[in-house]
Amino acid sequence: MRRTHTCVDLSKKDVGQEVVLMGWVHRRRDHGGVIFIDFRDRYGLTQIVFNPENNKEVHDRAHILRNEFVLGVKGTVIARPDDMINSNMQTGEIEVMIDELRIFNTAVTLPFQIEDNVDASEATRLSNRHIDLRRPELQKTFIARHKASMAVRNYLDGQNFLDIETPFLTKSTPEGARDYLVPSRVNEGQFYALPQSPQIFKQLLMISGFDRYYQIVRCFRDEDLRADRQPEFTQIDIEMSFAGEDEIMGVAEGLVKKVFKDVIGKEVQTPINRITYKEALDKYGLDKPDMRFELELKDISEIVKTTGFKVFASVVEKGGLVKAINAKGCATFSRKEIDDLTEYVGIYKAKGLAWVKIKEDGSWQSPIAKFFTPEEQALIAEKTDMEVGDIIFFVADNPKVVNESLGNLRNLLAEKMELIDEDLFEFVWVTDFPMFDYDEHEKRYSAIHHPFTAPFEEDYDKLETDPLNINSRAYDLVLNGSEIGGGSIRIHDRAVQERVFAALGLTEDDYKEKFGFLIDALESGAPPHGGIAFGLDRLIMILCKQSSIRDVIAFPKTQKASCLLTAAPSFASTDQLDELSLKVVLDD
RNA sequence: GGGGGUGUAGUUCAGUUGGUUAGAACGCCUGCCUGUCACGCAGGAGGCCGCGAGUUCGAGUCUCGUCACUCCCGCCA
């Protein structure tokens, strides 16, 4: 018996043909006499029929069929009478009358039904992922993922990029995320690290003269998980020589254009708008602004720095900010709703959430109204575009707290106010990131992007004197409020690289031990180069409108980084540990 | 490391003020049924109430601890 068609192929034009289908029993309807089965494979559903008048022996055997049995069936395609056409099914005009039945395998009762509207908990689904993955809805996601990968390869191949593999067993580096370590048996007591990204290797490939490199590659970071973060994830990794920001961003734009076109048939408008990091924070509070709606933040620090309202005035005096956001027409928010929003901004360390409702007569209803002079009220009203029926929220604190709390509040309000069109895909480039920030815990500067990112040339002098005021040649691509890609122009000059390491507080011995091979390579004839990496999982997640990255990874891990299907990780045997010269010491 | 949520039948859930034998739907099993497509009808099986202590005459319900899953903060160059 050999498969002739899939469960989506057959239609009226095939009536009369003898066909062989192979797949799973999706649902059965046994009438005692005639038996109907919705027969499923990767491609779709076809109704197959066992009729005693057609073939008694096969019909008798078909009584034992149950959900998820695996069958091969041979039969004749017949047209359904007009009143029995199922218009909900792609193959609803026909059915297959079965003459020959092969039962390849039976199936026990499954822990949950194979249906699109899942009602099993995620833990149950992950423990039975092979079954979960039978759901057509999930299969669609992985088909989309495949198409996206193909689009990436086709596009980059067309642009002369070479796919070159880089090692997974590599060197642990300081800076950045916690490494996954792999013990070396041959070198007792020594460890490899799994790559957080192929960053240094792709730079070395540029130095080798490969000019244009890409890879769809797994990366590993041992950090805590989130709805959009897994310990292993996939990057579309790209690097180009002799290219500046515009060329790299151009390639990136061509790439997303191709992916969106091929996978969901959407046209992405290019060039994609660019805003600076500073502008993003000013207007939206976050460095990954959701551009599907307006709802901009307004800085009223200048207006309130001399106000009688000490909470605002003293914050500005200490170098903080007071910013406002106008939720148009939301003066109807209840006390409870405002309390909930206050609690929400508390997550981001905001100590409070001041508010003003504009009453019908245009006056302020607000616990803080009495602190402001009419002139101040007028200036604030103008700045925030206050109108009757609006509610304006204020946060006063240091810039980080103000921006993070109001930026996230902005996203929450947009959702609550239903300002988000779920069919929109709004891209934006964020550029001119600061080079460093100050790590309070470690009492040193740390790189915002990574230590190989080039500063702007005019800022070189500040490396030793004023590192916090250097901007880097880094850029992030943001889609619907999610960072889906990021890259930079790299340092290709040994001296500059050493000055950046020094600014990060690394001693010469430190950076020579950890990055000596890179520094040496930089003086061996390194071309100017730069690149970008996309988070493929996140991109697919947004493309397929999924709320969790786990839904776009075939075998994902739980929040505690365990695999419920295989029960990894697990303890190693004493023999394994001995071979690796390892000893496990557990805390109490 | 911290905060929130969830955990009862195979699955999704209900379960009153602490009170007799813990329910429903779907699924499963048996029988009947020749045009269904969420087939129908009749009957049936199925429970470590996450786990462990405690309070109580009595705990699914209250207290404490613990585990798992999940969302978030920190963390993630």
Side-chain angles (χ1 to χ4, degrees), chain A residues 240-514:
Chain A
M240 297 165 75
S241 292
F242 310 114
E245 285 89 337
D246 290 340
E247 285 99 329
I248 294 165
M249 288 156 109
V251 165
E253 289 176 0
L255 181 68
V256 294
K257 204 180 180 79
K258 168 90 170 151
V259 168
F260 273 71
K261 181 97 180 124
D262 285 8
V263 180
I264 57 169
K266 276 239 175 194
E267 206 59 59
V268 174
Q269 293 307 318
T270 51
I272 291 165
N273 285 337
R274 299 182 191 183
I275 62 173
T276 64
Y277 173 86
K278 184 176 178 313
E279 192 183 355
L281 258 54
D282 283 348
K283 287 188 177 167
Y284 310 106
L286 304 174
D287 62 3
K288 43 177 187 175
D290 193 330
M291 305 301 281
R292 288 174 297 179
F293 51 91
E294 296 282 333
L295 216 60
E296 286 184 14
L297 313 186
K298 303 292 179 188
D299 189 339
I300 60 158
S301 308
E302 278 304 308
I303 303 172
V304 299
K305 73 178 176 191
T306 53
T307 181
F309 187 37
K310 291 296 170 243
V311 175
F312 281 10
S314 69
V315 158
V316 179
E317 193 173 324
K318 283 183 227 151
L321 291 177
V322 182
K323 287 171 93 168
I325 186 166
N326 184 345
K328 283 274 162 207
C330 291
T332 49
F333 280 1
S334 65
R335 183 61 204 244
K336 167 90 174 75
E337 284 174 296
I338 296 173
D339 284 350
D340 287 349
L341 296 175
T342 307
E343 197 182 325
Y344 180 75
V345 295
I347 295 172
Y348 304 97
K349 303 280 184 287
K351 293 176 200 75
L353 184 65
W355 55 270
V356 173
K357 289 179 180 177
I358 315 304
K359 293 193 282 192
E360 283 302 325
D361 62 3
S363 67
W364 287 20
Q365 179 197 339
S366 167
I368 60 169
K370 58 178 179 263
F371 297 111
F372 296 102
T373 64
E375 292 73 32
E376 286 166 349
Q377 290 199 7
L379 286 168
I380 294 170
E382 196 198 340
K383 183 85 181 177
T384 60
D385 185 30
M386 276 185 197
E387 291 174 318
V388 171
D390 293 352
I391 182 167
I392 292 86
F393 294 101
F394 305 85
V395 173
D397 215 303
N398 67 55
K400 183 174 151 68
V401 168
V402 169
N403 284 325
E404 280 182 13
S405 57
L406 282 181
N408 284 292
L409 180 66
R410 173 177 175 268
N411 289 343
L412 184 72
L413 283 173
E415 205 176 305
K416 194 172 158 69
M417 295 163 69
E418 297 180 357
L419 297 179
I420 300 173
D421 177 348
E422 295 294 339
D423 290 326
L424 275 184
F425 294 97
E426 287 292 334
F427 290 88
V428 65
W429 286 108
V430 179
T431 64
D432 297 65
F433 280 76
M435 185 86 179
F436 306 103
D437 62 5
Y438 191 71
D439 187 323
E440 288 295 341
H441 288 290
E442 299 193 21
K443 303 288 175 209
R444 66 178 187 91
Y445 298 107
S446 64
I448 285 190
H449 194 63
H450 57 53
F452 319 111
T453 299
F456 284 99
E457 211 167 326
E458 62 265 29
D459 288 340
Y460 283 180
D461 291 343
K462 297 186 197 157
L463 275 170
E464 289 78 19
T465 56
D466 189 13
L468 287 181
N469 278 312
I470 305 177
N471 280 346
S472 70
R473 297 175 68 182
Y475 33 82
D476 277 0
L477 184 59
V478 174
L479 169 57
N480 293 357
S482 208
E483 183 206 325
I484 60 158
S488 64
I489 302 302
R490 326 297 184 190
I491 297 165
H492 67 278
D493 179 276
R494 174 178 179 136
V496 176
Q497 185 65 74
E498 290 191 281
R499 288 168 71 185
V500 169
F501 284 143
L504 288 168
L506 294 172
T507 65
E508 191 173 339
D509 285 348
D510 279 344
Y511 65 69
K512 281 196 171 151
E513 196 228 327
K514 299 293 183 184

Side-chain angles (χ1 to χ4, degrees), chain A residues 221-236:
Chain A
R221 294 178 191 177
D222 187 6
E223 294 294 346
D224 286 354
L225 279 56
R226 286 285 192 285
D228 63 353
R229 263 160 44 187
Q230 282 274 303
E232 48 179 311
F233 62 98
T234 303
Q235 277 189 351
I236 304 165

Side-chain angles (χ1 to χ4, degrees), chain A residues 42 116 118 125 129 132-150 259 262-264 536-556:
Chain A
R42 175 183 135 189
D116 276 351
V118 215
R125 290 172 49 206
R129 187 62 163 174
D132 195 27
L133 288 170
R134 283 184 192 164
R135 290 169 38 227
E137 188 193 18
L138 221 47
Q139 295 201 345
K140 263 186 220 152
T141 306
F142 289 96
I143 291 164
R145 188 174 173 132
H146 164 79
K147 282 187 185 163
S149 296
M150 290 302 290
V259 168
D262 285 8
V263 180
I264 57 169
L536 179 64
D537 315 272
R538 270 188 206 171
L539 184 61
I540 304 298
M541 177 178 154
I542 298 171
L543 215 52
C544 294
K545 301 189 198 301
Q546 298 295 313
S547 52
S548 163
I549 197 172
R550 295 182 298 277
D551 292 330
V552 303
I553 294 174
F555 299 100

